[in-house]
Amino acid sequence: MKKEDMNIVIVGHVDHGKSTLMGRLLADTDSLPEGKLAQVKETCRRNSKPFEYAFLLDALKDEQSQGITIDTARCFFKTEKRDYIILDAPGHIEFLKNMITGASRAQAALLMIDAKEGVQENSRRHAYMLSMLGIRQIAVVINKMDLVDYSQEVFEKVKKEYLAFLKQIQIEPKFVLPVSAFQGENIVKPSERMPWYDGMCILQVLDEFECEEEHDKQPFRMPVQDVYKFTRNGDDRRIVAGTIETGTIRAGQEVVFYPSGKKSHINKIESFHTEPILEGKPGMAIGFTMKEQIYIKRGEVMAVAGEPKPKVASRIAANVFWLGKRDFVPGKLYYLKIGGEKVKVEVERVKGIINSSNLSSTDERQSVERHEVAEVILRTDKPIAFDVVAESAGTSRFVIVDNYEIAGGGIIIEGLEDEESSIRSSTMLRNYKWETSEINHESRIEHYAQRPELIVLTGEKNTGKKDLAKALEKELLNSGRFVYYMGIGSYLYGVGADTKSGGDENHREQIRRFAEVANLMLDAGMILIVTATSLTESDRKIMRTVIQEDMHIFWVGDSVTTDIKADVQLKDSDFDYNSNVRLIKSLLKEKAVIFG
């Protein structure tokens, strides 16, 4: 029977002994490759350098010269009870990003404190991040007891100070133990030099942590990392690939993808160069073929029909730990990455800021500075699927990207209502009930040599947008494209006839139905050109919610008189039908809407 697996992260302030502890564990349990310990000792002797157990883990040249760990090292370690992957996360303040990466994969943590130096700023920061990442199984390891003569008084003083801090952030460690990693005291067996301590050694503590077996029992979640299509030798499979976060799955089960709400059934579980897989379990990197061919994209979250659903929203309440060089502020565009999804995001509001070292708080600022923790309301430009941290930590975690760099990380506390919530619910139900065709999305793209696209021309009345739309339709049709022009009037006096009485609710319903008609035409593989007068950002969001795709929006006129986020403005002052048709056509080529 296969033993349990567990990921454990070791965190703490720089030079508090994390790498030494890992090296000592490997050496004292004979887990090192044969001759490795002797080799490192000999290298130190030749270089007239004192041997340190941390050198057993140092994989990067810079690490030994600087004396700090700059990446998350991993080591594989076994006891009779289970197999471990132990992650050594950086302690230096500049490498907190790497620490978050390591801790996000862990089920339990060892928090290292230097008995002589005591609790440091990063000791508090790291504990706060573990709390934010939802890691609740924690042991506090007070290291370097040899430097304080194995004093019980020193141990109790450091323990009292740190436990008081941890209590404020709702962390209750399962164990607090004194060790000397360098001397090997209380690592693999109880120490004779600390007779006043009658608790467990490190090895025993590790085995006392509980494996999160409940991951198997939680609702199924798999963020879609990619969709692969095979074309050679008559192989027409489309494989949905990802790593299972929680739950289990077998062939034949009905699955639903979020936020789209589209459904299918598992045909077969696929894996490269392995025996057939009957059941997918947490941690497996795996692929699936579907019985019903549906169009889904990277970033959706796969769930099993009938099980609790993930949340879907474009407004979220979250706790964020900010690491960016520039402040985290409302009004600026960032990117949020969660699972396989990457979306544009803005700070709607900063609800409160907490100093992670001393837990002082303020709600008077709307800018989050480096190394601060904040409770924020975030708004994404399209809906994302997630779980809240109280229900499933893994699918609640995200990172924020600023200027191509990871600048922060956080967890989702709550999904919030927005203006499109009711429309989103009806759209997801529509997708779940959708009758799929035998002709899939890719077949239409190949047949028409184009991707479906919605082109919206808006602006004030009498700006030439209708004539431009018709000229564009004609040009695309003459070049062999599957294209159609639809003015808002063509819709209003037919499908939307009962909504013409006015009012905000009727207007929203007009736009929703208009977008539903557009969605049908896009599903057929068409390039659809529409015109409407003075659309707003609210109108754009409704259309985006219904069709679940981006669109090209052109404002026609010298002045943009609404709040809509148009991609391009076509001004009256230099308006020329032919040049504008060429401009739009070139943008469609650039976006790979038309090709071939």
Side-chain angles (χ1 to χ4, degrees):
M1 182 177 177
K2 188 181 184 299
K3 290 194 290 186
E4 295 175 338
D5 294 321
M6 177 177 276
N7 286 1
I8 292 185
V9 66
I10 304 180
V11 301
H13 191 72
V14 63
D15 201 33
H16 277 204
K18 301 179 302 299
S19 297
T20 302
L21 174 61
M22 289 177 69
R24 191 87 211 201
L25 274 170
L26 293 173
D28 289 0
T29 57
D30 297 322
S31 299
L32 291 167
E34 187 175 350
K36 182 69 173 178
L37 180 59
Q39 176 192 342
V40 173
K41 286 184 174 180
E42 176 60 20
T43 300
C44 290
R45 187 193 64 78
R46 287 201 309 266
N47 293 314
S48 299
K49 191 173 187 177
F51 167 75
E52 294 184 23
Y53 283 92
F55 293 162
L56 294 168
L57 301 174
D58 289 334
L60 302 175
K61 292 180 180 178
D62 288 345
E63 293 182 39
Q64 289 190 26
S65 62
Q66 295 179 25
I68 53 176
T69 306
I70 62 176
D71 202 350
T72 303
R74 297 195 306 163
C75 73
F76 300 88
F77 170 78
K78 296 181 180 181
T79 66
E80 291 184 6
K81 182 175 181 179
R82 60 170 67 110
D83 295 340
Y84 291 99
I85 297 177
I86 300 186
L87 308 157
D88 173 24
H92 194 276
I93 197 167
E94 294 300 319
F95 307 131
L96 284 170
K97 296 177 191 177
N98 303 56
M99 181 264 163
I100 289 177
T101 303
S104 68
R105 298 192 295 268
Q107 296 168 264
L110 301 180
L111 262 169
M112 300 281 289
I113 305 287
D114 184 321
K116 189 173 183 179
E117 288 192 6
V119 179
Q120 298 293 306
E121 190 175 21
N122 266 2
S123 307
R124 299 185 179 94
R125 283 202 179 107
H126 289 182
Y128 208 107
M129 283 188 281
L130 292 178
S131 173
M132 286 184 59
L133 289 167
I135 298 173
R136 292 292 179 263
Q137 294 194 99
I138 293 173
V140 175
V141 180
I142 300 179
N143 187 32
K144 302 190 181 182
M145 289 298 297
D146 54 308
L147 300 184
V148 294
D149 298 325
Y150 302 101
S151 166
Q152 181 180 7
E153 183 182 351
V154 173
F155 170 76
E156 295 295 345
K157 180 182 177 183
V158 175
K159 175 182 174 180
K160 182 179 180 181
E161 178 186 355
Y162 202 40
L163 289 185
F165 173 81
L166 295 179
K167 185 176 182 180
Q168 295 178 69
I169 56 175
Q170 287 79 53
I171 286 182
E172 186 176 346
K174 297 187 72 171
F175 309 96
V176 182
L177 62 158
V179 307
S180 170
F182 186 77
Q183 299 295 338
E185 297 296 332
N186 216 24
I187 304 300
V188 299
K189 61 182 180 180
S191 171
E192 295 180 358
R193 297 187 179 184
M194 292 178 281
W196 46 265
Y197 172 75
D198 59 0
M200 297 180 180
C201 65
I202 289 286
L203 263 188
Q204 294 168 319
V205 163
L206 293 178
D207 279 348
E208 279 296 306
F209 284 136
E210 297 175 7
C211 271
E212 295 183 1
E213 295 174 339
E214 67 271 14
H215 275 194
D216 288 350
K217 300 178 178 66
Q218 287 181 324
F220 181 83
R221 298 287 186 268
M222 189 193 83
V224 175
Q225 294 298 326
D226 220 330
V227 180
Y228 299 98
K229 184 183 178 186
F230 296 84
T231 57
R232 300 183 65 178
N233 302 320
D235 187 349
D236 61 352
R237 290 176 300 161
R238 293 176 70 248
I239 295 182
V240 180
T243 299
I244 298 173
E245 187 74 35
T246 57
T248 60
I249 197 163
R250 301 177 73 91
Q253 287 188 284
E254 185 180 45
V255 293
V256 187
F257 295 87
Y258 295 92
S260 70
K262 295 178 181 179
K263 73 175 188 299
S264 187
H265 288 80
I266 299 295
N267 181 47
K268 188 179 178 182
I269 301 176
E270 303 274 356
S271 185
F272 290 107
H273 309 300
T274 66
E275 294 295 319
I277 296 173
L278 299 178
E279 184 177 52
K281 297 181 179 181
M284 283 186 174
I286 212 162
F288 306 90
T289 52
M290 301 292 171
K291 289 183 179 178
E292 299 86 6
Q293 296 303 310
I294 57 175
Y295 175 58
I296 57 171
K297 297 181 294 185
R298 173 186 171 91
E300 298 218 50
V301 174
M302 181 172 153
V304 170
E307 294 184 352
K309 305 173 184 177
K311 307 290 189 295
V312 173
S314 61
R315 290 179 71 239
I316 56 174
N319 284 346
V320 171
F321 192 98
W322 190 244
L323 302 167
K325 297 174 183 176
R326 294 169 291 275
D327 291 356
F328 192 41
V329 293
K332 181 177 177 180
L333 190 66
Y334 302 90
Y335 282 93
L336 180 147
K337 295 178 71 174
I338 182 169
E341 184 64 284
K342 180 179 180 181
V343 297
K344 295 175 183 176
V345 66
E346 290 183 271
V347 180
E348 180 180 300
R349 181 163 63 95
V350 177
K351 294 179 68 177
I353 299 171
I354 301 170
N355 183 305
S356 60
S357 295
N358 58 27
L359 297 187
S360 62
S361 63
T362 177
D363 56 5
E364 297 177 355
R365 283 195 285 121
Q366 284 296 296
S367 60
V368 185
E369 297 176 0
R370 196 176 197 191
H371 302 135
E372 288 184 326
V373 177
E375 186 179 354
V376 296
I377 305 297
L378 301 177
R379 182 184 288 270
T380 57
D381 76 328
K382 61 180 181 178
I384 56 172
F386 58 90
D387 290 287
V388 296
V389 68
E391 296 173 359
S392 181
T395 42
S396 78
R397 296 169 183 163
F398 62 86
V399 296
I400 301 290
V401 177
D402 180 21
N403 197 26
Y404 304 104
E405 290 186 348
I406 293 176
I411 51 174
I412 300 175
I413 305 300
E414 184 183 3
L416 304 174
E417 292 286 312
D418 58 37
E419 298 87 347
E420 292 80 46
S421 293
S422 61
I423 295 174
R424 186 176 305 119
S425 295
S426 63
T427 299
M428 290 168 62
L429 179 61
R430 175 203 72 193
N431 287 345
Y432 183 77
K433 297 292 186 180
W434 194 275
E435 290 293 332
T436 57
S437 168
E438 291 295 317
I439 303 169
N440 62 36
H441 182 78
E442 284 80 8
S443 296
R444 296 184 194 276
I445 290 174
E446 291 173 6
H447 181 77
Y448 295 122
Q450 66 181 46
R451 296 182 182 278
E453 181 77 2
L454 178 59
I455 301 169
V456 180
L457 302 179
T458 189
E460 296 187 305
K461 293 182 178 180
N462 304 316
T463 55
K465 54 185 177 291
K466 292 181 181 178
D467 291 337
L468 175 58
K470 293 173 183 178
L472 176 62
E473 179 192 33
K474 187 174 182 179
E475 169 62 25
L476 291 174
L477 183 68
N478 288 340
S479 60
R481 304 301 171 184
F482 184 30
V483 60
Y484 187 78
Y485 161 65
M486 181 173 66
I488 191 74
S490 307
Y491 152 83
L492 273 179
Y493 291 90
V495 177
D498 61 329
T499 64
K500 290 178 75 281
S501 57
D504 288 344
E505 284 305 309
N506 273 342
H507 177 76
R508 285 175 60 82
E509 179 61 13
Q510 286 173 2
I511 298 298
R512 188 196 70 81
R513 291 192 200 176
F514 187 53
E516 287 287 4
V517 173
N519 183 67
L520 290 168
M521 301 175 86
L522 293 170
D523 189 62
M526 186 177 291
I527 296 173
L528 178 63
I529 307 165
V530 301
T531 55
T533 300
S534 300
L535 291 176
T536 65
E537 182 61 14
S538 175
D539 298 332
R540 185 194 72 83
K541 288 180 178 179
I542 292 171
M543 295 171 71
R544 176 70 181 76
T545 300
V546 172
I547 69 171
Q548 298 186 323
E549 294 287 347
D550 291 324
M551 63 196 84
H552 258 109
I553 297 182
F554 297 85
W555 182 275
V556 182
D558 281 339
S559 300
V560 179
T561 55
T562 75
D563 63 344
I564 194 167
K565 295 179 181 177
D567 299 293
V568 178
Q569 182 181 359
L570 304 174
K571 294 185 177 181
D572 289 340
S573 53
D574 54 2
F575 195 86
D576 176 80
Y577 287 114
N578 292 330
S579 63
N580 283 327
V581 166
R582 287 194 298 270
L583 170 65
I584 296 173
K585 193 173 179 181
S586 68
L587 289 173
L588 295 179
K589 288 182 178 178
E590 184 180 314
K591 195 179 176 184
V593 173
I594 56 178
F595 47 86

